Amino acid sequence: MNEVPNYELSPERRWTNAERSLVWKKPASHIASEEERRICGEVKRNWHRGEMKIAALLLEGDAGSGKTQLAKALSAEFGLPYTKITCFADMDKSDIVGAILPVIAANRMALLDQEDQAALQALYASDGYVGANRVLMEVLGVSEEAASLKLRRLMKLAAEQAGGDEVEYRFYPSEIVNAYRNGYLLEIQEPTVIRDAAVLMALNSALEPDGSINLPTEVIRRHPDFIAVMTTNRGYAGVRPLNESLRDRVQHAEKMDLPAKDVMISRAAAKTGYANTRVIETLADVILLLDQTAKTLAIKGVAGMRSLLFWTDAVAAGIGARESLYVKVMYKITTDPEEIKLLEEALEKHGLLAKLQAAEAELAAEHESRREAELDAMPAAESEARNRPETEAIEIKTWGAVDPIGQNGSSDNEEQGIRLKKAADSEEGSSGAAGASDERSDTESADIGEDGAPRYHQTNPETKPPDVQMQKRAYRKLLNQEAREAVSDSMHKNVKLVVHRPEWNEDDKRNYEHLSNEMIPVVREIARKALPLLEQEAESEYTKRRAYGSRFQADSVAYRDYGYFAKKRLPADSPSLAVALRVDESASMAAFGRLEAAKRAAVAVYEFCMLCGIPVMICGDTADVSRLEQMSLFAYADLLRPDADDPYRLMGIRARSNNRDGMALRIMGERLASAPQQTKLLISISDGQPKAMEDYAGILAEQDMRLTMAEFERKGVTFLAAAIGQDKDVIGRIYGRERFLDITDLSGLPAKLVQLIARYL
């Protein structure tokens, strides 16, 4: 049996518990690549050879090629704590060395706002194992760039508050200084985006074999165990060639491409737990061909290992291979119709579309076989129950204090709900209705009879075939998975989330027809004025910077991306607009007719988008339904999978519990950002400021929402807020006046939203 190589560099070192926790632990699914084995062998071989020692590495390649994964794997192999910095264009020297802050007195600290107080207190309490920027990233839930800007502001604020008093000063080192001084493995992500020459000079000095860093308090020498691993993408927007001095200090460089196909298959199987390697092999063939074709045609996007993992996971969950190809792989490469057509032609030419179809047939047989085996193994009664149509029964639960609705809160004919304490200074939150699981009852309470007893009706008017139920369940699972991915790097990553795909009944259908009949005249009149603009746009608009087209652009020849042409859009092209509507379903929406106004607005927006051929997504959200469902999202209509039943689902909009606005905006923004349309509009209808347990309120919630909007506006999403409640001033402050609509007359909300969307066409 072959002995496993031992690449630990300093086995005699004794680490603290905090340092030991920073050493990366390889998951069971990790498979060592050729690059990993090669680097480990070279570093170990030269570790004690003086000037031949290898301690500065460069990993350069496309996104998804495994650069960060490899850097973490080196931490595990070498037995060194892993830490990282993510570079950005406006880094300054304080991001390399750290910052000096005065420790201000408690009475002066009280003059600062809550966020600045929390940031300073976190810095004062830090143990030194984590850099100053990293402390702020964790306590504020912000990016490295935002943390850097915050640190500079705190330095100025603390100096001002110190006044003329005699104060104590403390130095807070950067992540680089910690790794440099203590002998950690440091990943430096994207050093190619740095613009400041002084920052590059500081990095140059740090990477010298016998280098040093000049701190305000001392000069520190490079620890003999310190290893720097620079990771950077190739040829992406904002990325420059790596500084020559930095590249010269690198002792080992790897060009990171996609792994060999057998490695891709093994990793995908290990990560997803899906054992059908024949299907995974077909998916890997598609990924490899798309990656090669995109590079050949100078298409900027990337098909990488991440795409394969999430595509495999979707297929294993029962989503069709060809259906999920676009949302998991193709749209990550490009959303341009002409470029997608070229990629599809490449797949067709190599017979991979036919192989995908064969894989789908195999998957269908596999799922059917598994289902039959499960049915055979369970008792008859349970089997019969499993075959019943799935419904969306509502279970009413509460946890926490509940405020009763005041007598003047709503009239007798208004929809009722639980009104919560939503002000930022509330002592307790409260919770209300609407939890749902995968196994549901066949009936739900529709309304109350004259005798006060609930009347029951069948939730699904028609029994759906088992395969349709399975597809719906798989699709709901996919929505949940994508929603959790969207918040995985945010402050909401540990919030228990459930995405529901509500069902409808005949009452919902009748209610929708009644509402739509009222709204249609207004909607059609606005659509009548907007549609001629769409036709004109489709005939005259040119899309610039193409690799081919009908018009040559001489001013683009200086660019090295082969985008020398412009292409005219055809009259048959659909409008380049996608719309998302978010409805706050907090309990206070039950008061003063707000819920009915929001429901009418949703109907108007849906009908208008259908008339104009605009993809539309409509979701409602609430928080704190239960301890096991801290965030609930209700997907009434979806961009990528429109359904004829979607309009009836809108009648399920209702008042429920608290609201965690930033999380809802992040999930919807992520889905909207992946849409192929050029203009992406996200409208939020809300009556109050964010408030959810345990402490999502006030400054923390506002900061989260602002950061979310800033992040997705960089991805092309435009945000607008329609404020319909008592917290209009707060909502206006959070969203900014340029994104804010003050809706005083609720009856005019539907028409105003439709007119607003028409302006973006």
Side-chain angles (χ1 to χ4, degrees):
M1 186 174 182
N2 293 331
E3 187 176 344
V4 178
N6 181 4
Y7 298 115
E8 192 170 355
L9 299 178
S10 298
E12 71 285 352
R13 283 190 68 177
R14 294 294 175 262
W15 305 101
T16 66
N17 290 335
E19 289 175 322
R20 195 175 295 110
S21 69
L22 295 176
V23 179
W24 195 63
K25 307 295 187 298
K26 286 186 180 182
S29 60
H30 180 81
I31 298 174
S33 64
E34 275 301 316
E35 293 89 351
E36 179 183 334
R37 286 190 285 268
R38 183 163 52 242
I39 292 173
C40 288
E42 282 293 287
V43 172
K44 181 73 171 180
R45 182 174 66 86
N46 288 280
W47 193 243
H48 298 292
R49 295 184 63 197
E51 293 182 357
M52 298 303 296
K53 181 178 183 177
I54 296 175
L57 309 166
L58 171 65
L59 309 178
E60 188 174 24
D62 292 329
S65 56
K67 300 182 295 295
T68 293
Q69 183 82 358
L70 175 52
K72 291 178 177 178
L74 295 179
S75 161
E77 294 285 8
F78 297 151
L80 297 177
Y82 166 85
T83 187
K84 71 172 182 178
I85 62 163
T86 302
C87 301
F88 49 93
D90 296 322
M91 284 183 78
D92 69 9
K93 204 168 179 181
S94 67
D95 297 308
I96 302 297
V97 251
I100 290 182
L101 287 174
V103 181
I104 61 177
N107 61 328
R108 292 185 179 272
M109 177 84 79
L111 300 176
L112 304 178
D113 64 37
Q114 292 182 9
E115 181 183 290
D116 291 336
Q117 289 184 43
L120 282 171
Q121 287 167 356
L123 286 172
Y124 295 159
S126 62
D127 55 13
Y129 289 112
V130 179
N133 280 2
R134 188 69 55 186
V135 171
L136 296 180
M137 289 169 66
E138 291 176 358
V139 73
L140 300 179
V142 299
S143 67
E144 188 140 7
E145 183 174 1
S148 172
L149 295 173
K150 171 62 77 173
L151 183 60
R152 295 175 210 172
R153 181 171 178 274
L154 289 175
M155 292 167 67
K156 181 179 178 182
L157 274 177
E160 290 171 353
Q161 291 300 326
D165 299 344
E166 183 176 337
V167 295
E168 173 192 355
Y169 284 85
R170 291 185 191 171
F171 174 68
Y172 297 91
S174 69
E175 207 72 25
I176 294 177
V177 168
N178 274 340
Y180 197 80
R181 187 206 310 266
N182 299 315
Y184 301 164
L185 185 144
L186 171 72
E187 181 188 0
I188 306 174
Q189 295 183 340
E190 307 302 340
T192 48
V193 303
I194 299 173
R195 290 193 296 219
D196 193 335
V199 176
L200 292 171
M201 288 176 62
L203 274 180
N204 284 340
S205 175
L207 293 182
E208 289 283 3
D210 56 350
S212 61
I213 297 178
N214 293 322
L215 304 180
T217 55
E218 60 180 316
V219 176
I220 60 169
R221 300 291 175 185
R222 175 175 180 154
H223 192 285
D225 287 347
F226 172 70
I227 293 180
V229 181
M230 291 183 286
T231 58
T232 182
N233 294 319
R234 305 192 274 260
Y236 286 14
V239 173
R240 303 170 182 80
L242 185 63
N243 177 271
E244 292 83 355
S245 297
L246 276 177
R247 190 178 284 274
D248 185 55
R249 282 161 175 76
V250 169
Q251 294 120 4
H252 186 100
E254 290 280 353
K255 177 177 177 289
M256 301 288 291
D257 293 309
L258 283 175
K261 186 170 76 171
D262 58 338
V263 175
M264 293 175 68
I265 295 169
S266 299
R267 286 183 181 174
K271 286 277 188 183
T272 63
Y274 184 54
N276 192 331
T277 55
R278 290 191 307 278
V279 172
I280 300 177
E281 182 178 7
T282 300
L283 306 187
D285 286 335
V286 172
I287 294 285
L288 289 167
L289 179 64
L290 289 176
D291 181 63
Q292 179 185 353
T293 305
K295 289 175 180 175
T296 303
L297 298 176
I299 298 174
K300 292 285 189 180
V302 174
M305 194 65 212
R306 290 192 190 99
S307 299
L308 177 62
L309 292 177
F310 288 106
W311 190 19
T312 302
D313 189 63
V315 167
I319 309 299
R322 292 190 62 169
E323 176 187 353
S324 53
L325 164 66
Y326 289 87
V327 294
K328 295 299 185 181
V329 183
M330 199 79 83
Y331 293 154
K332 289 180 66 176
I333 303 174
T334 179
T335 55
D336 180 85
E338 294 297 330
E339 292 177 343
I340 288 175
K341 185 178 179 181
L342 292 173
L343 296 174
E344 289 173 335
E345 288 173 354
L347 294 176
E348 183 72 43
K349 179 180 177 182
H350 289 79
L352 287 175
L353 290 181
K355 288 183 71 175
L356 279 179
Q357 190 170 355
E360 285 192 337
E362 182 177 345
L363 283 166
E366 179 182 298
H367 281 286
E368 183 61 26
S369 175
R370 187 185 309 155
R371 182 177 177 278
E372 289 177 358
E374 290 174 354
L375 290 175
D376 290 342
M378 65 177 61
E382 187 178 348
S383 176
E384 181 182 351
R386 181 69 63 89
N387 279 315
R388 290 175 186 163
E390 187 177 11
T391 64
E392 296 285 342
I394 297 175
E395 183 181 358
I396 307 296
K397 294 184 179 179
T398 61
W399 53 294
V402 178
D403 287 338
I405 297 179
Q407 294 298 319
N408 61 347
S410 59
S411 62
D412 292 341
N413 61 352
E414 285 182 324
E415 186 165 354
Q416 297 298 308
I418 301 172
R419 185 171 58 188
L420 308 185
K421 295 178 180 177
K422 289 178 58 178
D425 57 354
S426 298
E427 294 180 2
E428 291 182 310
S430 54
S431 60
S437 64
D438 282 349
E439 300 300 330
R440 309 183 190 278
S441 135
D442 284 338
T443 60
E444 67 178 6
S445 177
D447 46 24
I448 303 298
E450 293 180 0
D451 60 352
R455 289 201 297 263
Y456 291 90
H457 56 75
Q458 186 178 350
T459 303
N460 289 310
E462 296 180 6
T463 300
K464 301 286 195 304
D467 59 334
V468 174
Q469 292 296 329
M470 186 169 66
Q471 290 175 9
K472 287 167 57 179
R473 196 175 299 118
Y475 181 58
R476 190 167 63 244
K477 181 178 178 182
L478 177 63
L479 289 176
N480 276 273
Q481 176 187 325
E482 291 183 343
R484 291 185 183 105
E485 289 171 18
V487 299
S488 60
D489 292 329
S490 73
M491 66 178 296
H492 309 287
K493 61 184 178 182
N494 294 322
V495 174
K496 296 179 177 65
L497 163 70
V498 178
V499 179
H500 301 270
R501 183 75 166 138
E503 289 292 349
W504 59 277
N505 54 55
E506 286 299 324
D507 287 344
D508 291 331
K509 185 175 182 179
R510 283 192 294 271
N511 290 338
Y512 181 82
E513 290 169 351
H514 174 73
L515 272 185
S516 63
N517 287 337
E518 293 181 17
M519 308 305 307
I520 279 294
V522 176
V523 170
R524 281 182 177 163
E525 177 61 21
I526 299 173
R528 183 182 64 79
K529 296 176 181 178
L531 285 172
L533 299 176
L534 294 179
E535 294 170 5
Q536 180 67 26
E537 177 193 81
E539 292 173 355
S540 62
E541 181 179 331
Y542 276 90
T543 306
K544 297 183 178 181
R545 303 292 296 277
R546 302 285 172 177
Y548 54 88
S550 57
R551 173 189 286 179
F552 181 73
Q553 297 176 276
D555 59 348
S556 296
V557 174
Y559 293 94
R560 300 178 62 186
D561 62 356
Y562 306 103
Y564 308 152
F565 295 90
K567 170 187 171 290
K568 180 180 278 189
R569 293 180 59 196
L570 299 176
D573 285 352
S574 61
S576 187
L577 171 66
V579 173
L581 181 68
R582 177 248 170 178
V583 180
D584 171 8
E585 296 193 20
S586 57
S588 57
M589 286 284 285
F592 307 114
R594 296 169 190 161
L595 191 72
E596 186 65 20
K599 195 177 291 186
R600 287 172 176 269
V603 171
V605 168
Y606 181 85
E607 289 290 352
F608 178 76
C609 290
M610 291 299 101
L611 283 172
C612 296
I614 300 170
V616 62
M617 170 172 59
I618 301 178
C619 293
D621 64 270
T622 191
D624 304 329
V625 167
S626 71
R627 294 187 185 276
L628 297 179
E629 189 173 339
Q630 297 165 327
M631 176 65 180
S632 309
L633 194 75
F634 300 88
Y636 298 112
D638 190 53
L639 286 170
L640 301 178
R641 192 163 173 171
D643 190 318
D645 296 339
D646 285 345
Y648 312 136
R649 291 189 174 93
L650 296 176
M651 298 300 96
I653 295 173
R654 56 174 59 98
R656 304 177 195 269
S657 188
N658 285 347
N659 53 316
R660 191 179 290 269
D661 298 42
M663 190 172 181
L665 293 178
R666 178 170 291 276
I667 293 169
M668 295 182 69
E670 187 69 47
R671 198 155 183 81
L672 191 59
S674 66
Q677 283 70 29
Q678 185 176 12
T679 304
K680 300 157 187 183
L681 180 63
L682 199 165
I683 304 171
S684 173
I685 301 176
S686 179
D687 74 322
Q689 56 187 306
K691 170 66 180 175
M693 297 188 286
E694 299 289 336
D695 56 358
Y696 189 77
I699 297 296
L700 177 66
E702 291 183 23
Q703 178 77 4
D704 171 53
M705 291 177 66
R706 290 195 188 100
L707 289 172
T708 298
M709 287 187 284
E711 176 182 340
F712 285 97
E713 282 179 340
R714 289 194 293 269
K715 297 180 180 181
V717 177
T718 299
F719 289 86
L720 291 170
I724 61 174
Q726 75 278 10
D727 287 339
K728 292 176 182 176
D729 291 339
V730 177
I731 296 173
R733 186 180 73 236
I734 294 173
Y735 282 86
R737 292 297 163 183
E738 71 282 1
R739 308 189 193 97
F740 174 67
L741 299 172
D742 184 346
I743 308 296
T744 302
D745 180 9
L746 292 180
S747 64
L749 174 63
K752 284 186 177 181
L753 289 191
V754 172
Q755 290 168 345
L756 180 69
I757 294 169
R759 291 189 206 134
Y760 283 83
L761 291 173

